[in-house]
């Protein structure tokens, strides 16, 4: 069975070893994946312990714990990574964490900054990614407007009919 973070090895072989303290994530993405796994498992000690010591004071442990326990986690999607590799000291990971609260689906879409100190990666902070507003090239056709196909009929009676 795949790891909670979505990679092929089991959770035990993938993120589990990080959460148990048996190994350290070698990349910013690996830390991001392990933090997601920690949220799924409500392992707040790991979440707080992997937060950059210079910014951890900005985090409320009780909020993280409440969110982790109330959410039904549905999956992690890594959108992109910038740096954050084996030889880097900084990195950015953009991700989408899907979850449900009160059976209502939600997505946490964030660009997270990471910093490496020695051989340890830390989560520094993140910015929520706002969804793009869809802009129409042409004005919206009202149901009583003439159909844009040129038939002469009202839109609701022509191309706007419900299938």
């Amino acid at each position: 069975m795949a790891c909670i973070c979505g990679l092929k090895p089991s959770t035990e072989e993938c993120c589990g070893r990080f959460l148990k303290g048996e190994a350290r994530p070698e990349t910013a993405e690996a830390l991001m994946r392990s933090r997601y796994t920690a949220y799924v498992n409500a392992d707040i000690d790991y979440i707080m312990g992997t937060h950059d010591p210079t910014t951890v004071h900005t985090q409320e442990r009780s909020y993280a714990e409440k969110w982790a326990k109330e959410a039904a986690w549905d999956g992690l999607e890594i959108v992109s990574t910038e740096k954050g590799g084996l030889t880097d000291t900084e990195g950015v990971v953009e991700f989408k964490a899907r979850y449900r609260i009160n059976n209502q689906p939600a997505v946490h879409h964030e660009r997270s900054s990471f910093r490496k100190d020695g051989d340890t990666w830390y989560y520094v902070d993140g910015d929520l990614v706002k969804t793009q507003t869809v802009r129409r090239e042409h004005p919206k056709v009202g149901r009583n407007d003439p159909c844009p196909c040129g038939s002469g009929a009202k839109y609701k009676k022509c191309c706007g009919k419900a299938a």
Side-chain angles (χ1 to χ4, degrees):
M1 183 173 195
C3 181
I4 292 168
C5 79
L7 293 181
K8 293 190 190 260
S10 67
T11 299
E12 191 69 30
E13 296 172 289
C14 189
C15 294
R17 59 198 173 102
F18 304 138
L19 274 62
K20 289 179 182 175
E22 298 170 353
R24 291 186 179 151
E26 294 180 332
T27 65
E29 181 180 334
L31 178 59
M32 180 64 250
R33 289 180 177 281
S34 68
R35 285 174 57 88
Y36 172 79
T37 300
Y39 270 105
V40 172
N41 291 326
D43 186 344
I44 307 308
D45 288 337
Y46 185 81
I47 297 296
M48 300 307 285
T50 56
H51 205 291
D52 188 329
T54 63
T55 59
V56 71
H57 67 279
T58 65
Q59 301 305 303
E60 289 189 41
R61 180 186 179 92
S62 61
Y63 174 77
E65 186 169 20
K66 183 178 189 295
W67 187 36
K69 289 180 176 179
E70 288 181 359
W73 299 94
D74 293 329
L76 175 68
E77 173 190 346
I78 301 297
V79 176
S80 67
T81 59
E82 297 170 19
K83 297 187 180 180
L86 296 173
T87 60
D88 296 317
T89 57
E90 294 180 345
V92 175
V93 178
E94 182 177 340
F95 69 94
K96 293 179 182 179
R98 298 184 196 302
Y99 64 99
R100 287 171 280 118
I101 295 223
N102 297 325
N103 231 10
Q104 295 298 312
V107 177
H108 180 84
H109 187 177
E110 180 178 311
R111 276 183 58 85
S112 300
S113 299
F114 295 86
R115 173 180 81 79
K116 188 176 182 183
D117 184 10
D119 62 350
T120 304
W121 279 101
Y122 292 102
Y123 169 85
V124 178
D125 64 13
D127 294 316
L128 293 178
V129 177
K130 296 178 183 173
T131 56
Q132 295 286 336
T133 302
V134 176
R135 300 199 188 279
R136 299 178 193 278
E137 288 184 31
H138 306 287
K140 184 177 178 181
V141 178
R143 49 187 269 113
N144 289 317
D145 291 340
C147 190
C149 77
S151 69
K154 289 184 178 182
Y155 178 69
K156 68 181 178 184
K157 297 285 188 178
C158 188
C159 295
K161 282 199 274 187

